[in-house]
Amino acid sequence: MVYFDNAATTRPCEAAVKAAAEGFECFGNPSSLHGVGLAASQLVSAARKTVAASIGALEQEIFFTSGATESNNTAIFGAANSVGRHKKRIVVSAVEHPSVANACNALAALGLEVVFIPPTDDFCERFIAAVNTDTCLASCMLCNNETGAVFDAARIFKQVKKISPRTLTHCDAVQAYLKLPLRAGRLFADMISLSGHKVHAPKGIGALYVKKGVHIPPLLYGGGQENGLRSGTESVPLIAAFGAAVDQLSKNTDTRYRQVSLLRERLHEKCAPLSWISFNSPDGGSPYVNSISCAGLRSEVLLHYLESRGIYVSSGSACSKGKKSGVLTALGIPDAKADSTIRVSFCAENTPDEVDALVEALEAAKSELAGVK
Ligand code: PMP
């Protein structure tokens, strides 16, 4: 099997699986005052320490959630329900994941003014120009999940804070985490969303970084776990697995980046003679995510053809499941081209031979499938 859908999800690493098993053994409730509870709470604390260290944050700045969808919603509704009581504007990029975009749409329906900034060449300037002192939230992802485009969120947030110090800044860093440089202090973000299953941990676990001194109300009320920001008994196995995966990946981020960059280079080289293949991913984007259009082939048909040869990719973004991609539209890619777009997303375990197999399969698809609707 050649798995090139790592932006959708990754295979949990051995360390994560082992840590999850230990977490199941250690079945106490972290809130219990006895030793069984204490053992569970120690696993949670150890994972918190690891995740905090991985982005240069303090342990008290890391809140475990069920994943980045919850982290994003907590950040966005949290900003709206605090600073947003007096400041009614939200500025956000037009290429966010649906868990950001649709949370903002829901707030627009409640009467907030949401300004979506398209990903043009002057994106940063336009974003900054849209922020005023009536802005409660500025949200910009670090790396796009469909194209790998990298945004200079640090530059944007630094300016936002100069224009309007009370505006909360939020970054969905899911596709950058443990892949591209990410330090909380250098991002000027009040809140950062992370997801476990994109970094070889299981699904259903993520984290929200909230800068010390920033206070937002929770989405969920209850027993007050996670310092009141995320009530609900902690999923000890998932948290322990997240910690184990992060521990492993944070030790070799640069090496993995170099390996994956070589894979991307090979993909470009091998595709260069094939004039019907074009790359939508910008130069300087993340090598982990590659958006490719194959003229004359429908992405879904192509996806299943590749699957029949044991190669797994996604059509656009896996989250949109066949739905038209808002991101490709925002990038100005015409519908016909978007319909022929696949996403090839790598992890460091992929090999150059696998890239060769993909390109061979694409060529075979072109000759066998041309004209198939
Ligand atoms: N943001 C981005 C950029 C993503 O790629 C994803 C996952 N597709 C999410 C948020 C949602 O993460 P989760 O699956 O952990 O809810």
Side-chain angles (χ1 to χ4, degrees), residues 310-322:
I311 300 172
Y312 297 84
V313 300
S314 94
S315 64
S317 157
C319 306
S320 54
K321 241 197 177 170

Side-chain angles (χ1 to χ4, degrees), residues 152-239:
D152 195 349
R155 182 179 152 209
I156 291 173
F157 294 156
K158 192 173 178 190
Q159 290 305 318
V160 167
K161 287 289 177 187
K162 279 192 189 153
I163 296 163
S164 172
R166 290 203 51 220
T167 298
L168 293 178
T169 51
H170 165 250
C171 182
D172 176 343
V174 166
Q175 297 290 350
Y177 184 43
L178 298 172
K179 297 183 171 84
L180 310 176
L182 172 59
R183 305 308 283 171
R186 293 195 201 135
L187 192 55
F188 301 95
D190 292 311
M191 299 176 281
I192 303 173
S193 299
L194 308 173
S195 174
H197 72 107
K198 313 287 183 177
V199 295
H200 302 277
K203 293 146 198 58
I205 183 68
L208 180 64
Y209 157 90
V210 182
K211 191 177 171 176
K212 190 176 165 194
V214 170
H215 298 284
I216 52 164
L219 276 188
L220 304 176
Y221 291 87
Q225 289 88 346
E226 294 298 295
N227 217 4
L229 187 57
R230 207 287 185 170
S231 284
T233 304
E234 300 87 340
S235 175
V236 179
L238 296 185
I239 291 172

Side-chain angles (χ1 to χ4, degrees), residues 3-325:
Y3 185 75
F4 283 154
D5 202 10
N6 292 282
T9 198
T10 55
R11 182 197 293 272
C13 63
E14 248 174 65
V17 173
K18 191 163 162 266
E22 282 163 16
F24 282 119
E25 285 292 314
C26 192
F27 69 91
N29 184 325
S31 298
S32 294
L33 296 178
H34 46 64
V36 185
L38 182 65
S41 91
Q42 280 167 346
L43 286 187
V44 173
S45 302
R48 197 185 312 282
K49 199 170 174 174
T50 305
V51 174
S54 72
I55 58 165
L58 302 170
E59 284 162 58
Q60 78 237 47
E61 294 176 321
I62 298 297
F63 300 85
F64 289 116
T65 64
S66 65
T69 296
E70 185 186 328
S71 300
N72 285 337
N73 276 268
T74 303
I76 293 164
F77 283 94
N81 289 327
S82 53
V83 182
R85 284 201 301 260
H86 309 290
K87 297 177 183 287
K88 298 294 177 195
R89 176 178 283 207
I90 292 176
V91 182
V92 59
S93 95
V95 291
E96 295 292 324
H97 185 267
S99 55
V100 170
N102 288 336
C104 291
N105 287 333
L107 288 167
L110 291 174
L112 275 83
E113 180 200 10
V114 181
V115 184
F116 289 99
I117 309 297
T120 50
D121 288 344
D122 56 352
F123 170 77
C124 284
E125 290 77 17
R126 286 172 75 165
F127 194 113
I128 293 161
V131 172
N132 59 16
T133 51
D134 193 38
T135 305
C136 62
L137 174 70
S139 181
C140 180
M141 69 193 337
L142 210 45
C143 174
N144 184 266
N145 48 303
E146 292 190 42
T147 64
V150 173
F151 295 96
D152 195 349
R155 182 179 152 209
I156 291 173
F157 294 156
K158 192 173 178 190
Q159 290 305 318
V160 167
K161 287 289 177 187
K162 279 192 189 153
I163 296 163
S164 172
R166 290 203 51 220
T167 298
L168 293 178
T169 51
H170 165 250
C171 182
D172 176 343
V174 166
Q175 297 290 350
Y177 184 43
L178 298 172
K179 297 183 171 84
L180 310 176
L182 172 59
R183 305 308 283 171
R186 293 195 201 135
L187 192 55
F188 301 95
D190 292 311
M191 299 176 281
I192 303 173
S193 299
L194 308 173
S195 174
H197 72 107
K198 313 287 183 177
V199 295
H200 302 277
K203 293 146 198 58
I205 183 68
L208 180 64
Y209 157 90
V210 182
K211 191 177 171 176
K212 190 176 165 194
V214 170
H215 298 284
I216 52 164
L219 276 188
L220 304 176
Y221 291 87
Q225 289 88 346
E226 294 298 295
N227 217 4
L229 187 57
R230 207 287 185 170
S231 284
T233 304
E234 300 87 340
S235 175
V236 179
L238 296 185
I239 291 172
F242 188 22
V246 170
D247 183 45
Q248 202 168 67
L249 264 69
S250 49
K251 288 181 185 134
N252 63 6
T253 307
D254 294 345
T255 314
R256 284 185 296 104
Y257 184 86
R258 280 193 294 274
Q259 284 168 346
V260 171
S261 297
L262 291 176
L263 296 176
R264 182 186 46 186
E265 273 169 35
R266 193 169 185 99
L267 182 62
H268 277 260
E269 268 166 34
K270 292 269 164 183
C271 289
L274 310 176
S275 60
W276 46 278
I277 293 187
S278 55
F279 287 81
N280 304 310
S281 298
D283 294 341
S286 166
Y288 284 84
V289 184
N290 301 277
S291 172
I292 302 176
S293 296
C294 300
L297 295 173
R298 279 200 47 231
S299 59
E300 229 175 295
V301 176
L302 179 56
L303 181 150
H304 292 302
Y305 178 86
L306 293 174
E307 179 175 13
S308 74
R309 297 177 64 127
I311 300 172
Y312 297 84
V313 300
S314 94
S315 64
S317 157
C319 306
S320 54
K321 241 197 177 170
K323 271 194 259 153
K324 196 171 147 205
S325 161

